[in-house]
């Protein structure tokens, strides 16, 4: 079984619901907005999908290629979850794009990118 299939069961009954504020999510039965956001953003490949969409609309196959050949099944699930969460949408050409709400994650992703560059400079892996 591939890593993607372990993460995203093809069985609809075992698939987790899209995290949304007010809906019980991992870490919060009340669905606190921050916990729903952390649950959504921590799902495998979600941050990568958002990172690749930050510079504009992309088609499904282009997204798959940019995301290291992520399986079509996993990409479809992630895009559906992000669409249900109001973060991505189809543009008039049928490509995927960030919504105005999704674009507001841009500065957060940029800050994480800057932090990771600093982290790389300060923390070196053991050379053992």
């Amino acid at each position: 079984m591939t890593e993607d299939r372990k993460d995203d069961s093809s069985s609809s009954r075992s698939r987790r619901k899209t995290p949304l504020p007010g809906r019980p999510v991992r870490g919060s039965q009340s669905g606190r907005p921050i916990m729903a956001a952390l649950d959504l953003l921590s799902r495998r490949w979600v941050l990568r999908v958002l990172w690749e969409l930050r510079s504009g609309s992309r088609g499904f196959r282009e997204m798959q290629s940019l995301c290291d050949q992520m399986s079509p099944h996993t990409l479809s699930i992630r895009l559906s979850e992000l669409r249900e969460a109001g973060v991505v949408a189809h543009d008039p050409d049928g490509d995927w794009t960030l919504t105005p709400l999704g674009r507001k994650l841009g500065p957060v992703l940029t800050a994480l990118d800057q932090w990771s560059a600093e982290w790389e400079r300060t923390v070196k892996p053991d050379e053992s």
Side-chain angles (χ1 to χ4, degrees):
M1 189 177 262
T2 68
E3 190 69 25
D4 290 337
R5 293 290 175 159
K6 286 181 198 170
D7 206 34
D8 301 313
S9 173
S10 59
S11 169
S12 61
R13 65 182 155 76
S14 65
R15 192 168 146 229
R16 296 177 292 173
K17 288 186 175 186
T18 300
L20 296 173
R23 180 184 284 176
V25 296
R26 285 184 299 164
S28 175
Q29 288 303 307
S30 66
R32 290 179 33 216
I34 186 64
M35 298 309 293
L38 290 173
D39 191 356
L40 178 67
L41 297 174
S42 69
R43 292 190 172 193
R44 188 167 188 199
W45 293 106
V46 164
L47 289 173
R48 179 65 182 269
V49 168
L50 295 173
W51 183 256
E52 298 303 345
L53 287 173
R54 77 193 187 287
S55 58
S57 299
R58 307 232 185 244
F60 187 90
R61 289 182 193 246
E62 183 181 10
M63 283 296 301
Q64 186 182 9
S65 177
L66 289 168
C67 293
D68 297 325
Q69 298 301 317
M70 177 192 331
S71 77
H73 175 79
T74 299
L75 180 56
S76 179
I77 288 171
R78 293 300 172 247
L79 288 168
S80 293
E81 290 171 340
L82 290 167
R83 179 177 48 203
E84 184 179 353
V87 178
V88 301
H90 277 114
D91 69 10
D93 295 324
D95 290 341
W96 290 97
T97 190
L98 293 172
T99 63
L101 183 63
R103 283 192 293 277
K104 288 184 178 187
L105 284 168
V108 175
L109 294 174
T110 299
L112 185 58
D113 181 44
Q114 292 167 347
W115 178 86
S116 68
E118 182 177 340
W119 181 43
E120 178 187 37
R121 289 188 300 275
T122 59
V123 178
K124 299 292 181 192
D126 290 338
E127 299 292 326
S128 341

